[in-house]
Amino acid sequence: MNLEILKIASDTTNLKNLNNYTHKGKCKNSVCGDEMIIKIRLKKNKIEDFGYNDKSCVYCQASASLISKYFKKKDLTKIKKVIRDINYFYQGKDVTLDSGLNKIFNEKNLNRKECIYLPVKTIFNALKFNSNR
């Protein structure tokens, strides 16, 4: 187990029930049973607040922690671009992810792809994006 993953997963800043949300997504990983619920409050096309709850492994927890912090205060255009780049990464295309995201979305964690991708998939569900995946 990568200590960086444990460190990221231990940051539970956005592990919370967001009561006043505008968008909600819920997904389950059919491979391992991980579950993720994401609630987002959008204001003027920006994520004003982000909360997630999960029953998942440490890889999924780390991914949720990282992207929740990364997407907070970002506008939807930026979020769509980042999600597209993550999809491209998993399709094997040559793409450079924004600094920080590559702590999880990298070659050495490909064997945990479904766990790491679950929070991203849940954001698609919440925001009604097309995954192109």
Side-chain angles (χ1 to χ4, degrees), residues 1 3 6 14 17 19 24-25 31-32 35-36 44-45 48 50 52 56 66 77 86 96-97 107 109 116 126-127:
M1 170 83 47
L3 291 178
L6 289 172
N14 294 312
N17 186 28
N19 291 320
K24 177 183 176 182
V31 175
C32 67
E35 295 180 11
M36 177 69 51
K44 297 182 181 179
N45 269 349
E48 184 176 77
F50 191 120
Y52 67 90
S56 64
L66 186 69
T77 303
I86 290 170
T96 303
L97 295 174
E107 297 289 326
N109 292 325
I116 292 170
L127 297 175

Side-chain angles (χ1 to χ4, degrees), residues 10-121:
S10 69
D11 181 350
T12 58
T13 303
N14 294 312
L15 177 63
K16 61 186 178 184
N17 186 28
L18 189 62
N19 291 320
N20 188 16
Y21 60 90
T22 59
H23 295 73
K24 177 183 176 182
K26 181 178 182 180
C27 287
K28 184 173 183 174
N29 183 340
S30 62
V31 175
C32 67
D34 285 353
E35 295 180 11
M36 177 69 51
I37 297 173
I38 291 178
K39 294 178 181 176
I40 296 169
R41 183 170 46 248
L42 280 183
K43 189 172 183 180
K44 297 182 181 179
N45 269 349
K46 285 189 177 184
I47 291 183
E48 184 176 77
D49 204 359
F50 191 120
Y52 67 90
N53 288 285
D54 64 321
K55 294 179 185 171
S56 64
C57 70
V58 70
Y59 286 92
C60 188
Q61 292 168 13
S63 178
S65 176
L66 186 69
I67 64 169
S68 69
K69 288 176 65 179
Y70 186 82
F71 285 164
K72 209 173 203 183
K73 308 299 180 196
K74 299 263 190 318
D75 66 56
L76 290 180
T77 303
K78 175 69 172 174
I79 292 167
K80 285 180 183 180
K81 180 196 177 308
V82 170
I83 290 173
R84 184 198 67 216
D85 288 347
I86 290 170
N87 285 330
Y88 285 163
F89 167 75
Y90 281 129
Q91 293 169 8
K93 296 181 181 178
D94 188 26
V95 62
T96 303
L97 295 174
D98 287 356
S99 176
L101 292 175
N102 58 9
K103 292 177 182 178
I104 290 184
F105 300 100
N106 59 50
E107 297 289 326
K108 65 183 175 183
N109 292 325
L110 280 178
N111 61 335
R112 298 305 298 261
K113 170 184 170 182
E114 295 303 321
C115 299
I116 292 170
Y117 190 75
L118 186 64
V120 177
K121 184 178 175 182

